[in-house]
Amino acid sequence: MAVASSSDVAILALGVVLAAAYLFRDSIFSSSTPKAVPVAPSKLANGHGNPRDFIAKMKEGKKRLIIFYGSQTGTAEEYAIRIAKEAKTKFGLASLVCDPEEYDFENLDQVPEDSCVIFVMATYGEGEPTDNAVQLMENLTDSAFEFSNGQHGLEGLKYVVFGLGNRTYEHYNAIARQVDDELTKMGAVRIGERGEGDDDKSMEEDYLEWKDNFWPAFAEALGVEEGQGGDTPDFAVTELESHPPEKVYLGELSARALTKTKGIHDAKNPYASPVKISRELFQVGGDRNCVHIELDIEGSGITYQHGDHVGIWPLNPDAEVDRLLCALGLYSKKDTVINVDSLDPALAKVPFPVPSTYISVLRHYIDISAVAGRQILGVLAKFAPSPEADAFMRNLTSNKDEYAAVVANGCLKLGEVLQLAAGNDINAHPTPQNTTAWAIPFDIVISSIPRLQPRYYSISSSPKLNPTSVHVTAVVLKYESIANKLVASRWVHGVGSNFMLNIKHAANGEAADASEGIEHVSLPAYAIEGPRGAHKAEDVYKIPVHVRRSTFRLPTNPKSPVIMVGPGTGVAPFRGFIQERVALARRTLEKNGDDALADWGQISLFYGCRKSTEDFLYKDEWPQYTAELKGKFTMHCAFSREPPYKPDGGKIYVQDLIWDDRKNIADAILNGKGYVYICGDAKAMSKAVEEVLARILGEAKGGSEAEGAAEIKLMKERSRLMLDVWS
């Protein structure tokens, strides 16, 4: 080892001294004034200018209420706005209505003592939060998440919860209940009872009953008195004498659609998709319809996966548009251009693009085809054209049973209620001559009727076989209302599916003046050519659509057994599933030869309909898929209205076929670690299928049905049992 010289040592020592001086220069050479210590932004009131700080916005806007909504389809947002409006009208209190996705929650503990947080929360899927409420729920449920007080606590925070759910689903109002539980654990104080709306019965009536009991508790908790507010409008509607016609929205759903410029197509900018093919799936001449529509997405930039949903943007039928135009006294000025301004943008945003026209708003933008709500009738009563009409409306508002019998059971739309109250004939095609005009300001109409929303359908194709088209399988909704003392029973038609039926009729040159197989039933007509004729090019019609992502997916490994249960149109996504596997099988066989599918898991589809000759969907396709999958695909069919029947004469349904195949089902799930998918009716079918699966698994494990139910729960948690159901 070399020995260092004295000069080397001196140089080394000097280097150490200089390095130390550099490292500690702030301490050695600083003045006596201490430096400011930076603090993590999350621990501070974020201050003016931070768009994600709701506390700052509350203080700046002098708002005492902050309302967060968890909404997937817009309904929870509508109820949040209604609560805010009523707080303003009753007590003069200003609210901040917020999408939780747009805010941070570290300072939730900073809500002032004289204020309140209201959560309007929908439950989505299998007890999951809506997409925009995921972060909020993670913050509330994560014990490691700290608020600005350095703790996971909200001691003394005043809060309110109203949930939106459907009792036919297993996890009824799970998110609202979870919010309530977590806030209580953290020391927050709930005002009044937790509200729970049930969409299976009447969300509206549940809300009305809850709020009538809630407001007195709210007033006491916040120390306010009713009568301090006022009935102020949300919007100002102005008729424009002159405006460039090309800048008026006549039904276009986005600025890009109006200007015909390219952009990403999503829920805010739907794509006008050409209808490539449209055909009837049920027996022609029957009393029901089911339409198959293929939507061309080539060149649109839209992509999809099997199991996704497609949103169809419909419009209101011509008769209902004319009816409300006449009832509002606007028929003669239906094409007048109007602008709409929000008088309180934080509370009420203009719900559609403007400027527009009266007829365009009623046809394309607001949901005038829904059953009229009880609360809106009370708002409109004061504009009644006669004392009799006023009394009629007030009776419907105050008498819950009368409203249920006449309006709810009669499936009356707003225009029909206005006609009925005025003594008009609701069965005649509405005209200004046979319809009494009400002097209802148009701003109240806009405030009271929600935006017309897209209708979602499970995509019935796979992009592996159909990369440039999205397939839709939709049974056409048509049912009879319940007769009452004022209105006889009549046919009621669903907006979205009948809109598509209109498209099918027009595209194929079919007569559409009566419902097939039923005499004297007039089908609703729609302006399917679209705004400025943009949805028709020669003989091709277009439908505005967008794709909504789903987690309803096949396992990536084809060796896993798959069990699918989809009676009726519940089979739609499974057609896409099978096409997905067929595409994979073709590639695998081409690459590895005839035995390439030998180790694939079995794919079983349990399907049901009324008759094999009447409503067997895609009857001619399944044998082809069976052949291509080399025996790995088996279809079990239950025809409820044709033999064979049960020994007692009862009908056979999919759950009966599942029980018959219980040995294979249990083996696939317990030994093969298989996946189960259920699509269709949530009220009866889905529950019955889960019950029989629990029974099968319980028996196979040598235990009780309760043990089988525990296995079902575990499968759901591990995403091995997935549902895409509706009520």
Side-chain angles (χ1 to χ4, degrees):
M1 180 176 178
V3 178
S5 67
S6 58
S7 60
D8 290 337
V9 172
I11 292 171
L12 181 61
L14 178 61
V16 170
V17 171
L18 291 174
Y22 177 80
L23 289 172
F24 297 102
R25 64 191 184 282
D26 289 341
S27 301
I28 298 170
F29 303 109
S30 67
S31 64
S32 59
T33 305
K35 291 190 69 175
V37 180
V39 180
S42 62
K43 301 298 182 187
L44 292 174
N46 291 320
H48 180 75
N50 182 356
R52 298 185 64 82
D53 183 358
F54 61 85
I55 294 293
K57 289 186 178 182
M58 285 181 72
K59 292 178 179 178
E60 289 166 13
K62 298 180 179 179
K63 301 179 188 297
R64 290 179 63 184
L65 303 183
I66 175 84
I67 307 176
F68 292 107
Y69 58 85
S71 186
Q72 197 74 15
T73 62
T75 306
E77 181 180 5
E78 291 165 12
Y79 278 99
I81 292 172
R82 286 175 65 174
I83 291 171
K85 289 179 180 178
E86 199 153 346
K88 182 179 179 181
T89 302
K90 284 180 175 289
F91 309 107
L93 295 177
S95 304
L96 189 65
V97 179
C98 298
D99 182 340
E101 195 171 35
E102 299 175 358
Y103 293 89
D104 297 322
F105 290 91
E106 285 89 344
N107 55 1
L108 185 59
D109 60 310
Q110 296 178 19
V111 173
E113 289 186 15
D114 66 345
S115 299
C116 171
V117 186
I118 301 176
F119 297 90
V120 183
M121 308 298 292
T123 297
Y124 180 64
E126 290 299 293
E128 302 156 8
T130 56
D131 291 344
N132 73 324
V134 170
Q135 190 61 52
L136 167 62
M137 294 306 298
E138 287 179 358
N139 292 161
L140 292 181
T141 57
D142 182 4
S143 59
F145 179 81
E146 293 183 359
F147 298 100
S148 65
N149 57 17
Q151 303 172 0
H152 188 66
L154 296 168
E155 195 70 36
L157 175 74
K158 298 184 182 72
Y159 75 94
V160 176
V161 178
F162 180 75
L164 293 82
N166 189 307
R167 200 174 290 276
T168 60
Y169 293 82
E170 179 183 353
H171 303 281
Y172 174 63
N173 267 310
I175 296 302
R177 295 175 182 182
Q178 191 174 12
V179 167
D180 193 13
D181 291 343
E182 295 297 334
L183 291 172
T184 299
K185 281 187 218 173
M186 289 187 280
V189 180
R190 189 184 66 224
I191 298 174
E193 295 298 316
R194 179 182 67 237
E196 294 189 352
D198 181 10
D199 194 40
D200 184 50
K201 292 184 178 178
S202 175
M203 183 77 71
E204 176 74 5
E205 288 301 324
D206 290 338
Y207 169 74
L208 294 178
E209 184 177 346
W210 169 77
K211 79 173 183 73
D212 287 346
N213 296 317
F214 158 69
W215 286 122
F218 173 88
E220 182 179 351
L222 265 70
V224 293
E225 294 182 4
E226 193 167 343
Q228 297 175 356
D231 191 6
T232 56
D234 298 318
F235 304 106
V237 178
T238 308
E239 294 184 354
L240 305 179
E241 293 185 4
S242 62
H243 196 83
E246 69 277 7
K247 295 183 179 181
V248 178
Y249 289 87
L250 300 181
E252 292 86 0
L253 297 171
S254 67
R256 291 189 180 279
L258 179 66
T259 58
K260 293 181 172 61
T261 53
K262 293 184 177 180
I264 295 173
H265 292 291
D266 53 19
K268 295 181 180 179
N269 181 36
Y271 173 63
S273 173
V275 176
K276 295 171 68 173
I277 295 173
S278 58
R279 58 189 173 91
E280 178 63 52
L281 292 176
F282 285 171
Q283 179 187 14
V284 176
D287 62 355
R288 297 183 301 148
N289 297 96
C290 185
V291 295
H292 169 86
I293 287 182
E294 298 184 13
L295 301 161
D296 189 349
I297 57 171
E298 187 171 11
S300 68
I302 292 177
T303 60
Y304 74 100
Q305 295 296 321
H306 67 281
D308 282 346
H309 301 118
V310 60
I312 301 289
W313 291 78
L315 54 155
N316 291 303
D318 295 347
E320 297 312 316
V321 176
D322 289 346
R323 192 186 314 278
L324 205 48
L325 283 170
C326 294
L328 296 174
L330 296 173
Y331 192 83
S332 63
K333 50 197 289 188
K334 59 186 177 182
D335 294 315
T336 300
V337 178
I338 60 171
N339 193 46
V340 181
D341 292 300
S342 174
L343 300 179
D344 186 354
L347 175 60
K349 298 176 183 177
V350 179
F352 46 80
V354 288
S356 187
T357 63
Y358 288 118
I359 190 170
S360 298
V361 171
L362 298 183
R363 171 167 284 146
H364 296 277
Y365 298 133
I366 61 176
D367 195 358
I368 65 172
S369 298
V371 173
R374 187 157 61 96
Q375 190 169 18
I376 185 180
L377 302 184
V379 173
L380 303 183
K382 60 186 175 184
F383 302 104
S386 68
E388 293 78 13
D390 176 69
F392 181 89
M393 295 288 276
R394 294 190 185 280
N395 181 45
L396 290 178
T397 303
S398 59
N399 189 330
K400 183 178 177 180
D401 293 336
E402 183 76 0
Y403 167 84
V406 175
V407 181
N409 290 343
C411 302
L412 297 181
K413 307 166 188 68
L414 178 59
E416 293 172 326
V417 175
L418 297 179
Q419 282 188 313
L420 200 62
N424 305 141
D425 181 5
I426 68 171
N427 295 312
H429 187 87
T431 66
Q433 290 71 40
N434 64 19
T435 304
T436 304
W438 295 54
I440 301 170
F442 202 64
D443 67 89
I444 291 180
V445 174
I446 297 171
S447 297
S448 304
I449 302 177
R451 176 74 189 260
L452 184 60
Q453 298 289 339
R455 272 54 175 173
Y456 288 100
Y457 298 88
S458 297
I459 294 176
S460 57
S461 56
S462 162
K464 299 293 194 302
L465 291 189
N466 299 280
T468 62
S469 64
V470 167
H471 297 189
V472 181
T473 307
V475 68
V476 178
L477 183 60
K478 178 179 70 225
Y479 59 94
E480 287 188 89
S481 64
I482 300 173
N484 58 72
K485 61 185 178 182
L486 297 177
V487 182
S489 177
R490 65 216 177 101
W491 288 99
V492 180
H493 298 85
V495 171
S497 57
N498 280 277
F499 166 67
M500 286 191 284
L501 182 61
N502 260 240
I503 295 281
K504 182 187 83 76
H505 285 317
N508 297 324
E510 301 165 348
D513 52 7
S515 185
E516 286 91 338
I518 303 177
E519 296 182 3
H520 312 301
V521 179
S522 178
L523 285 175
Y526 297 78
I528 56 177
E529 295 83 3
R532 298 179 172 88
H535 295 165
K536 183 184 179 185
E538 297 180 351
D539 294 331
V540 177
Y541 288 85
K542 300 178 182 181
I543 298 177
V545 302
H546 75 277
V547 168
R548 184 176 73 183
R549 301 301 174 195
S550 168
T551 58
F552 201 65
R553 296 272 191 274
L554 279 168
T556 54
N557 188 352
K559 296 179 182 179
S560 299
V562 171
I563 299 161
M564 302 175 292
V565 186
T569 52
V571 80
F574 301 137
R575 178 174 180 261
F577 278 32
I578 295 299
Q579 288 185 359
E580 189 83 3
R581 281 293 187 253
V582 165
L584 180 59
R586 289 176 182 174
R587 294 197 305 272
T588 304
L589 290 167
E590 182 180 355
K591 182 179 179 181
N592 301 318
D594 292 343
D595 297 328
L597 309 187
D599 61 348
W600 277 30
Q602 191 67 27
I603 305 169
S604 300
L605 171 59
F606 292 85
Y607 173 72
C609 63
R610 293 181 181 180
K611 293 183 177 181
S612 59
T613 56
E614 180 181 300
D615 54 354
F616 191 170
L617 299 180
Y618 304 109
K619 180 179 180 179
D620 297 333
E621 292 185 17
W622 303 114
Q624 176 189 341
Y625 298 145
T626 301
E628 292 213 52
L629 289 169
K630 305 295 182 182
K632 291 297 180 179
F633 171 52
T634 305
M635 191 168 186
H636 307 260
C637 297
F639 304 114
S640 61
R641 299 191 184 183
E642 68 178 51
Y645 297 108
K646 293 180 181 178
D648 63 358
K651 297 174 181 176
I652 293 178
Y653 296 108
V654 287
Q655 57 267 32
D656 301 309
L657 298 184
I658 291 171
W659 176 251
D660 290 343
D661 197 37
R662 56 190 176 277
K663 183 179 179 181
N664 292 326
I665 295 283
D667 182 62
I669 294 174
L670 298 176
N671 300 322
K673 303 299 180 185
Y675 289 71
V676 179
Y677 302 87
I678 304 172
C679 183
D681 169 52
K683 188 177 294 186
M685 182 278 296
S686 178
K687 286 185 177 180
V689 169
E690 286 196 48
E691 286 171 2
V692 76
L693 286 173
R695 184 179 167 196
I696 289 171
L697 296 178
E699 285 192 7
K701 298 183 76 168
S704 63
E705 189 171 329
E707 187 173 349
E711 183 70 23
I712 292 289
K713 182 179 180 182
L714 187 63
M715 289 178 66
K716 287 183 177 180
E717 291 172 355
R718 295 178 176 177
S719 297
R720 285 182 51 218
L721 172 55
M722 304 184 74
L723 284 76
D724 183 2
V725 295
W726 57 85
S727 62

